[in-house]
Amino acid sequence: AQTVTQSQPEMSVQEAETVTLSCTYDTSESDYYLFWYKQPPSRQMILVIRQEAYKQQNATENRFSVNFQKAAKSFSLKISDSQLGDAAMYFCAYRTRNNDMRFGAGTRLTVKP
Amino acid sequence: DVKVTQSSRYLVKRTGEKVFLECVQDMDHENMFWYRQDPGLGLRLIYFSYDVKMKEKGDIPEGYSVSREKKERFSLILESASTNQTSMYLCASSLGLRQTYEQYFGPGTRLTVT
């Protein structure tokens, strides 16, 4: 079964600095999708970025980018120029062939002014 | 914009009560999902549905059932609520079965069973 591990329950970053959130996963599949979701306090979960496993190029969305290492089964999220609005719970997720999503336990990011 | 709404943000029920959690999406999505979110465990899939009247068990279906009579609505039912079902419940929807499709989430229902 696929599992997703986020080894950092909490992270903290200074405003305008860069932070990297870690995620590893375990799978025997070769074709899959990976996602990072953001859940702000008392607000809905939204998609931050997605990565297709067959693409070698790392996905980028404005200040958010990923470091996808397929062989190592690693999918980290880098947030550049951190803003106060980036404070949230971040979930790494893996989408299986059966169309269900496997989530990690989450990393709570605090942004200090 | 896709909108997924859930009937209640907060709910308090007593042990043994039957509980209905409602979810509605307005974008004609085929797939709908129910998760529960617990600290340190992330999101765990309870049930999902890929079509009207169709349902599939997720990882933790015990103690829950679902109903999808209309495409836009997906209900989670706790037949006899227990204290270990106290949790945050998230509903989600997605366009289809392709892996690339993201899931859109509702705001969540925080259920407390006393």
Side-chain angles (χ1 to χ4, degrees):
Chain A
Q2 294 85 0
T3 57
V4 179
T5 303
Q6 293 179 248
S7 58
Q8 308 152 316
E10 296 183 354
M11 290 284 284
S12 179
V13 63
Q14 205 71 34
E15 196 175 6
E17 296 294 310
T18 295
V19 65
T20 299
L21 308 185
S22 301
C23 174
T24 59
Y25 57 94
D26 183 28
T27 184
S28 58
E29 297 179 341
S30 58
D31 185 20
Y32 49 87
Y33 282 76
L34 296 163
F35 303 81
W36 277 99
Y37 278 86
K38 170 185 177 181
Q39 187 180 40
S42 302
R43 293 176 60 187
Q44 286 171 249
M45 193 173 308
I46 57 173
L47 178 69
V48 175
I49 199 165
R50 85 186 84 193
Q51 174 77 42
E52 300 150 29
Y54 64 87
K55 286 189 176 180
Q56 293 185 338
Q57 186 173 6
N58 289 325
T60 300
E61 289 286 343
N62 300 314
R63 297 183 295 107
F64 298 87
S65 62
V66 299
N67 183 5
F68 174 49
Q69 303 288 329
K70 191 172 184 179
K73 296 180 182 176
S74 171
F75 181 60
S76 59
L77 175 70
K78 186 171 85 171
I79 307 173
S80 304
D81 186 25
S82 297
Q83 300 175 0
L84 295 178
D86 294 334
M89 198 75 173
Y90 286 82
F91 291 96
C92 177
Y94 169 106
R95 189 150 194 177
T96 74
R97 284 185 174 276
N98 294 329
N99 196 35
D100 66 87
M101 201 89 87
R102 300 284 171 172
F103 288 85
T107 296
R108 184 174 302 281
L109 178 67
T110 302
V111 181
K112 297 179 179 177
Chain B
D1 285 348
V2 174
K3 195 168 184 182
V4 181
T5 56
Q6 295 182 227
S7 50
S8 305
R9 290 300 301 271
Y10 299 94
L11 208 53
V12 179
K13 295 292 182 181
R14 292 192 181 276
T15 301
E17 278 193 83
K18 191 168 186 176
V19 182
F20 293 87
L21 302 182
E22 303 286 335
C23 175
V24 178
Q25 50 93 4
D26 67 356
M27 285 300 290
D28 203 35
H29 282 177
E30 295 173 3
N31 295 355
M32 296 188 75
F33 307 82
W34 274 107
Y35 295 91
R36 64 176 282 174
Q37 180 182 0
D38 299 290
L41 296 178
L43 279 70
R44 292 178 292 166
L45 182 66
I46 304 171
Y47 270 97
F48 72 97
S49 168
Y50 53 89
D51 201 352
V52 176
K53 296 191 186 294
M54 305 302 288
K55 60 184 179 184
E56 293 284 343
K57 292 181 180 179
D59 296 323
I60 51 166
E62 297 78 20
Y64 304 93
S65 62
V66 291
S67 172
R68 194 167 180 202
E69 296 296 321
K70 293 184 178 181
K71 191 174 186 179
E72 68 271 18
R73 189 179 298 269
F74 191 36
S75 303
L76 180 69
I77 304 154
L78 287 66
E79 295 289 342
S80 178
S82 63
T83 55
N84 63 13
Q85 292 178 311
T86 292
S87 186
M88 170 72 88
Y89 290 88
L90 296 178
C91 175
S93 72
S94 70
L95 181 59
L97 291 178
R98 289 180 59 189
Q99 290 172 296
T100 185
Y101 292 134
E102 69 178 276
Q103 293 186 6
Y104 294 86
F105 286 84
T109 296
R110 186 167 294 282
L111 172 67
T112 302
V113 182
T114 61

